[in-house]
Amino acid sequence: SQQGEEDPQALSIQEGENATMNCSYKTSINNLQWYRQNSGRGLVHLILIRSNEREKHSGRLRVTLDTSKKSSSLLITASRAADTASYFCATVFISGGSNYKLTFGKGTLLTVNP
Amino acid sequence: EPEVTQTPSHQVTQMGQEVILRCVPISNHLYFYWYRQILGQKVEFLVSFYNNEISEKSEIFDDQFSVERPDGSNFTLKIRSTKLEDSAMYFCASSGKDRNQPQHFGDGTRLSIL
């Protein structure tokens, strides 16, 4: 498999705390994307980070990418109950042609308790 | 903000029957995808479509599956003779013209095979 795993598999925190989720992968990537999925719903795109970028911010989200370690992290600051969802990282691998498929990890289930 | 829309939201079908899942991608996007997620498992890539032809397909996408873009707006996934193991959530996604643009997903069709 080209895709590693997210860790932790599940994370439970109190509202206002920060949540950090990690993702590892195995081969060279073009970019890495983070998605959120509420129970039974579709995937919502959060952030895309390119292989030549090290850090990216969007609102309360901060994503880092370490290509030497083949890993990424997603930090959600000042969490809210509405952040409760599954979070997935997905990678686009370097390949020829028009192959832009996403390869997903298993995800982290984040529960934010009020 | 433009969205990917999928219909129906839930499809119940007898084993052996044909099903067609429908998607309307974002209008100026060029790449179209189908993914599936079996309950409790990873999101898996099925097929990508560009310039009116399949650009890549996974091992899952066997001869029972086909995709079509019958007009300028719709993108369909057909399963000719459904099996119990086809029960899953099917997601359509679309993206712009290069690898470094995010894929936008629909809310999915839950397919239940009886």
Side-chain angles (χ1 to χ4, degrees), chain A residues 12-105:
Chain A
S12 181
I13 60 174
Q14 294 301 121
E15 211 165 21
E17 293 180 341
N18 296 341
T20 300
M21 290 158 270
N22 303 296
C23 166
S24 63
Y25 57 92
K26 296 179 181 175
T27 64
S28 296
I29 62 170
N30 187 274
N31 67 63
L32 185 145
Q33 302 179 36
W34 283 91
Y35 287 83
R36 184 186 75 227
Q37 184 181 37
N38 290 84
S39 180
R41 300 297 304 276
L43 295 151
V44 176
H45 183 266
L46 298 175
I47 274 192
L48 180 152
I49 186 164
R50 303 182 186 199
S51 60
N52 61 353
E53 297 175 314
R54 293 295 166 257
E55 189 170 308
K56 213 161 178 184
H57 297 254
S58 175
R60 292 184 296 114
L61 306 180
R62 173 178 169 251
V63 167
T64 62
L65 179 65
D66 186 336
T67 52
S68 66
K69 295 181 179 175
K70 293 186 168 57
S71 68
S72 174
S73 68
L74 170 67
L75 168 68
I76 304 174
T77 59
S79 63
R80 304 166 184 167
D83 295 328
T84 295
S86 291
Y87 291 82
F88 296 89
C89 72
T91 45
V92 174
F93 295 99
I94 291 176
S95 66
S98 56
N99 173 14
Y100 297 176
K101 71 177 184 183
L102 290 169
T103 302
F104 283 84

Side-chain angles (χ1 to χ4, degrees), chain B:
Chain B
E1 187 172 325
E3 294 184 330
V4 175
T5 57
Q6 290 185 243
T7 55
S9 57
H10 191 188
Q11 174 82 44
V12 181
T13 302
Q14 292 288 330
M15 187 171 59
Q17 296 296 306
E18 175 183 286
V19 293
I20 298 177
L21 309 182
R22 302 181 190 279
C23 169
V24 179
I26 294 173
S27 62
N28 61 350
H29 282 183
L30 301 178
Y31 294 89
F32 313 111
Y33 311 84
W34 284 100
Y35 294 83
R36 80 171 185 191
Q37 186 180 32
I38 294 172
L39 188 63
Q41 297 188 23
K42 288 184 186 185
V43 176
E44 302 173 287
F45 168 78
L46 292 178
V47 65
S48 58
F49 192 87
Y50 170 72
N51 201 25
N52 284 321
E53 61 182 21
I54 290 173
S55 51
E56 186 177 2
K57 58 185 180 180
S58 71
E59 292 177 354
I60 303 167
F61 194 89
D62 62 22
D63 291 345
Q64 295 300 313
F65 290 86
S66 63
V67 289
E68 195 176 36
R69 188 157 163 81
D71 53 44
S73 60
N74 291 286
F75 180 50
T76 62
L77 173 70
K78 181 193 289 187
I79 309 174
R80 285 187 190 79
S81 178
T82 50
K83 309 183 191 86
L84 293 176
E85 54 265 37
D86 294 327
S87 294
M89 195 77 159
Y90 287 80
F91 293 106
C92 173
S94 67
S95 66
K97 59 182 179 179
D98 67 53
R99 285 189 180 92
N100 287 316
Q101 292 185 3
Q103 292 185 23
H104 295 271
F105 284 74
D107 277 343
T109 293
R110 181 169 300 283
L111 178 62
S112 301
I113 307 300
L114 304 178

